[in-house]
Amino acid sequence: EPPTCPVLLEAFGTVLGRTNLPTAWAAASEAAGADRAATLRTAWRSDAHRRFLQLYDAFVTEVLAPALCPGGAVLAQRPPCVRVHLSGQRAAQGKIGMHKDSDYPGHCEAEINFWVPLTRVG
């Protein structure tokens, strides 16, 4: 079964080539490209996304907030912006290259981004 996260599906298609994806994944990728908004709505309603948000909330509450502002309050983006980079992907091959969030409207200089690898890196 293909990933419900369109960002992850797009990353696999970019690295492996869409023609090398399993048939169901290629169909999901094509559908995601045709109607990205509908694909995101479906992903956001999934049990997997709800579980991810529960883990994210716990990470913000138990790890980030105490490290950034012990005893105080922090604001965190929810849902977080997820960028996927797969092994062997030398550079950001998507639409966003190196940047700082304050380059974009609605972001301020005080924002802090965290890189949280989900696998061993080095």
Side-chain angles (χ1 to χ4, degrees):
E1 189 170 318
T4 56
C5 175
V7 175
L8 184 57
L9 188 58
E10 186 176 325
F12 276 112
T14 299
V15 172
L16 301 176
R18 296 205 188 286
T19 57
N20 295 322
L21 292 174
T23 305
W25 290 38
S29 178
E30 188 174 321
D35 191 349
R36 189 166 176 85
T39 301
L40 286 170
R41 281 192 302 274
T42 299
W44 288 345
R45 291 183 187 127
S46 71
D47 286 336
H49 186 71
R50 279 190 282 280
R51 287 191 308 273
F52 169 76
L53 287 178
Q54 288 172 342
L55 288 171
Y56 174 74
D57 292 343
F59 178 68
V60 169
T61 302
E62 298 169 18
V63 177
L64 295 183
L68 294 172
C69 189
V74 298
L75 296 176
Q77 179 179 333
R78 188 178 194 272
C81 179
V82 176
R83 292 205 172 82
V84 177
H85 300 278
L86 299 176
S87 176
Q89 190 176 0
R90 295 213 179 276
Q93 297 174 353
K95 297 166 185 62
I96 298 178
M98 292 296 290
H99 71 283
K100 59 184 185 296
D101 286 349
S102 62
D103 289 341
Y104 298 92
H107 292 274
C108 73
E109 296 284 334
E111 285 185 21
I112 301 172
N113 289 306
F114 288 88
W115 178 58
V116 183
L118 301 178
T119 61
R120 208 177 263 167
V121 296

